[in-house]
Each structure stands twice: as C-alpha cells, then as structure tokens.
Amino acid sequence: MIRSIFLILALCCVGVNASYGQLLRKYPVGKSGCTVRMFCDPGSFELSMSPDSSAVYTGECKRDSVIYDVICVRMKDRIDSLGDAEAILLQYLDYLKNSFGVSESAGYGKGHYLKGKEKSTRGLLDYWRDKDGMNIKVKGWTDGRYISVHLVISALPIKEEQAELFLNGIEFPAEARK
C-alpha cells in the first residue's frame, strides 16, 4: 500500500516537471552564439547596433497573455572584471527602466549566478510596474562579454516558478570568458 502511494506521488511529480520541460525550448539568439530557453517561439531575433557598435539582439513572444522578452547584447569590448561588468549591467537596466516607462521598482537584487557558471556570471533581479500597470519581472545577466536581459510582462500577477525557468534560461558562448 505504501509503495503504491509512493509510486503515485512520484509519477505526479514527474508529470508536473515534464509539463514545464515540454513547454520550454531552446532558441538561438540570432548569430550572437547565445541560446535562450523560452515557452514560445520568438521567431528571428532582430539585430541592431548600439551607439558604441555593440550588437543588440531582441526577440519576444507571447503565450497565455504573458510576454517573454529577451535583449542580448554582444558588447564591443569584453570587460574582464565581473564587478565592473555587473556595474555596466546595472546601468543598462536603469536605461531599460526608463525605456519601458517604469513607474515603480522593488530595487535590484544582487548575488545571482547562472547554475554551473557561478565564477563567470553575475545577475541582477528586479520587479517593475510600468505606467500602464503591467507587472514586469526582469533579470539581467552578464559574463563580461555579453549582457542578456529577460523580461516577463503580464497584466496579471506573474507566476514565479514559470518565470524563473525563463529568466534563468540564457547560455553564453564558451569563448566569452577567457
């Protein structure tokens, strides 16, 4: 009897995890070398150049009234110090906060690292609300060569577990940290 209950619970847990895994797919971020995991197909990422000649790739998709937005920047020059790279990431998030018309912000949470890349990445997290009342959960990442910003945008409260899967779903090219 106990074995049966344990087996049923184990199968339920596997089913819940599998449902998230089936929805989350890996997509290349243009020709940047980065890949991102998203719940919907962003199509082709658009490439533009920043004033300092950094390559900026943008893509988004919408699923169940939630917008998943990615901005990936291949910086013109690598920043060797991760502390300095994190400071640049913070400045970029402040720039985006203005661009998105953010009227409320929880404040940046520091100390985030990509799993398995704890010594080579830094991340910042924030919760925003824009002038139209949209909820935005944003997480920015850097490895000194790239900056990747992921935004979950929704009129409804954001589903934290699902959002985290997307927000942590960036892979930088191996050559980025030498």
Side-chain angles (χ1 to χ4, degrees), residues 6 12 21 68 92 135 145 176:
F6 178 73
C12 288
Y68 298 94
Y92 190 62
N135 299 304
R145 182 69 174 138

Side-chain angles (χ1 to χ4, degrees), residues 71-117:
I71 303 165
C72 184
V73 180
R74 184 172 196 263
M75 294 185 283
K76 179 183 173 200
D77 299 310
R78 179 188 358 225
I79 301 169
D80 290 325
S81 162
L82 281 175
D84 291 345
E86 184 179 52
I88 297 296
L89 171 61
L90 192 138
Q91 290 174 7
Y92 190 62
L93 288 172
D94 280 343
Y95 165 78
L96 292 176
K97 196 186 295 187
N98 187 47
S99 297
F100 277 81
V102 171
S103 59
E104 296 177 41
S105 166
Y108 295 117
K110 293 184 175 185
H112 297 270
Y113 312 95
L114 289 172
K115 187 175 182 177
K117 306 285 184 184

